[in-house]
Amino acid sequence: MPMREPFLVLLDRDGTINIDRHYLGDPAGLEFLPGALDGLTALRDAGAVLAIVTNQSGIGRGMFDREQADTVNDHLLAMLGAHGVEIAHVALCPHAPDEGCDCRKPAPGLAVEAAAATGLPLAQAWVIGDKSSDTGLADAVGARGILITADRLASPAEHFTARDLVEAAAIILAEQ
Ligand SMILES: [Mg+2]
Ligand SMILES: [Zn+2]
């Protein structure tokens, strides 16, 4: 049983959950980062509802298509599900940076979509990712952000930094 009220954790995918292969169109390239499963399990046990928010501009750039991207996501969800980690929603931006969409992080679209899909408020949400576009998304929607990085000085003071999802989960459990 969750110990707390459910709250939303928005997870970047590449470089946060799995190794960033840069424009991943093939599920064979999926490999968990160290700490990913343990961190997500700890968040689940604390009552977090997990959603993925992912920029996949490889679609807009013509490097792979939406169906391939969905196949990668389905495979990742199955890999997580095999370890008892459920992802409540996947929100994906398929656009290239020059398309001016409202869903490419740090624009708020993917977070708004995930909040609507889960019925959970962004004001109590966390965003975890390895780029400034992820912490920028947190700022854009009034959530708290954690930058995944080996460099403790990489993020402005208003964001947390964590080496991996185990550290990120520990921050959230301490702060939530
Ligand atoms: Mg990333
Ligand atoms: Zn978009």
Side-chain angles (χ1 to χ4, degrees):
M1 289 289 291
M3 294 162 55
R4 300 170 172 83
E5 288 295 304
F7 60 96
L8 184 59
V9 175
L10 302 171
L11 298 149
D12 171 53
R13 194 190 77 184
D14 303 318
T16 299
I17 299 174
N18 54 281
I19 294 173
D20 193 347
R21 306 288 188 195
H22 303 288
Y23 308 114
L24 180 60
D26 181 349
L30 284 169
E31 184 179 344
F32 286 128
L33 281 162
L37 279 174
D38 287 343
L40 294 177
T41 300
L43 287 170
R44 175 202 67 193
D45 291 347
V49 173
L50 307 174
I52 291 174
V53 287
T54 181
N55 286 350
Q56 293 298 324
S57 69
I59 299 170
R61 299 174 201 265
M63 301 171 72
F64 50 86
D65 62 21
R66 178 63 190 251
E67 191 175 353
Q68 287 171 288
D70 289 343
T71 298
V72 171
N73 287 329
D74 289 349
H75 196 87
L76 178 61
L77 264 54
M79 290 167 63
L80 290 166
H83 294 273
V85 173
E86 181 187 348
I87 301 297
H89 187 73
V90 178
L92 178 153
C93 168
H95 305 109
D98 62 2
E99 292 185 68
C101 68
D102 64 4
C103 51
R104 181 174 168 81
K105 297 177 290 185
L110 299 183
V112 171
E113 178 188 322
T118 59
L120 292 170
L122 290 171
Q124 273 83 53
W126 292 79
V127 181
I128 309 174
D130 67 318
K131 291 188 178 167
S132 61
S133 55
D134 298 303
T135 48
L137 174 64
D139 293 342
V141 300
R144 285 174 284 184
I146 302 176
L147 185 70
I148 298 291
T149 178
D151 178 2
R152 300 259 169 223
L153 302 178
S155 185
E158 62 265 31
H159 299 120
F160 296 93
T161 59
R163 185 183 54 209
D164 55 26
L165 282 173
V166 168
E167 282 193 4
I171 290 168
I172 292 174
L173 268 60
E175 297 281 332
Q176 184 67 23

